[in-house]
Amino acid sequence: MDAIVGGGGLIQLPALMISLPQTSLPTLFGTNKIAAISGTSLAAYQYAKKINFHYKLLWIIGFSALIASWYGATVVSKINPEVLKPLVLVLLIAMAVYTFIKKQMGNLSNQSFIQTKTFVIGILLGIVIGFYDGFFGPGTGSFLVFGMVLFLRFDFLHASAYAKIINILTNIGALSFFIYHENYLLIMAIGMAICNIVGNYIGTKMAFEKGNEFIRKIFLAILCLMIFRYGWEVFTS
């Protein structure tokens, strides 16, 4: 799921929180990041073999996201990330409705027209989503894909490819903080990382074989799943 359109943290992080309820949030976040970066790296490699990137744009967005992610991770121990859930729920509903209405969204790529405005939008996108990834995390890949399709006019396949590499950098930014403070469970992280790698390998093959329309449908399905999850948590807590 994560390799195709993001949202792997939607499963991983709650699974950790349910399995280890007495463990601190920063430790669970760090464990999740180790697993996530392993699978995302494999997916990014698979995409890089077949996708032509605009590397200047990619690294500008990625670097902005990396720095913002580190700062986001520093906030986790100070503020409960649960406070974000109502806002995330509203954003997810808006994304799902917009994607459903705009049937042609993400079918055509406009990467050939890269200008100064594109870099500015990319930097802002990297900062906002990078901070979110370091502070909270679940759904980061989906937010990246949506942002690139909507604001940078990418098709879904290219947006997924870019999102994977940027997601690696945001994971590095947050993970460097968690590892420095020894907020991780190594054995658990290694087991999850192996499973992440296998799942991401299968996911990238499906993305290339099925194409944009398939990715769009998976994207909508992931958004609906996330809306259900956050809606349940917001209204029952």
Side-chain angles (χ1 to χ4, degrees), residues 213-232:
E213 189 56 33
F214 171 75
I215 296 175
R216 180 179 180 275
K217 290 176 181 177
I218 295 294
F219 181 71
L220 275 170
I222 297 306
L223 288 181
C224 291
L225 182 61
M226 292 172 73
I227 289 168
F228 176 79
R229 176 203 157 184
Y230 284 114
W232 176 267

Side-chain angles (χ1 to χ4, degrees), residues 40-80:
T40 302
S41 297
L42 187 281
Y45 172 72
Q46 292 292 99
Y47 277 116
K49 291 194 295 184
K50 297 185 179 181
I51 295 291
N52 292 320
F53 293 103
H54 188 292
Y55 284 101
K56 185 177 180 180
L57 177 63
L58 176 63
W59 294 122
I60 283 177
I61 299 174
F63 183 74
S64 303
L66 186 153
I67 300 300
S69 177
W70 189 89
Y71 279 104
T74 65
V75 178
V76 170
S77 58
K78 300 180 178 67
I79 302 174
N80 189 346

Side-chain angles (χ1 to χ4, degrees), residues 85-142:
K85 284 184 177 177
L87 175 60
V88 172
L89 177 61
V90 172
L91 290 174
L92 290 171
I93 293 172
M95 286 166 56
V97 171
Y98 189 88
T99 304
F100 182 77
I101 293 173
K102 298 288 185 178
K103 303 292 185 184
Q104 298 303 312
M105 174 182 163
N107 285 337
L108 298 174
S109 180
N110 193 29
Q111 292 183 80
S112 58
F113 190 61
I114 302 292
Q115 55 180 339
T116 303
K117 183 174 74 171
T118 306
F119 291 107
V120 173
I121 294 172
I123 290 171
L124 293 175
L125 190 65
I127 290 172
V128 172
I129 296 181
F131 183 86
Y132 170 81
D133 192 32
F135 178 59
F136 195 44
T140 297
S142 299

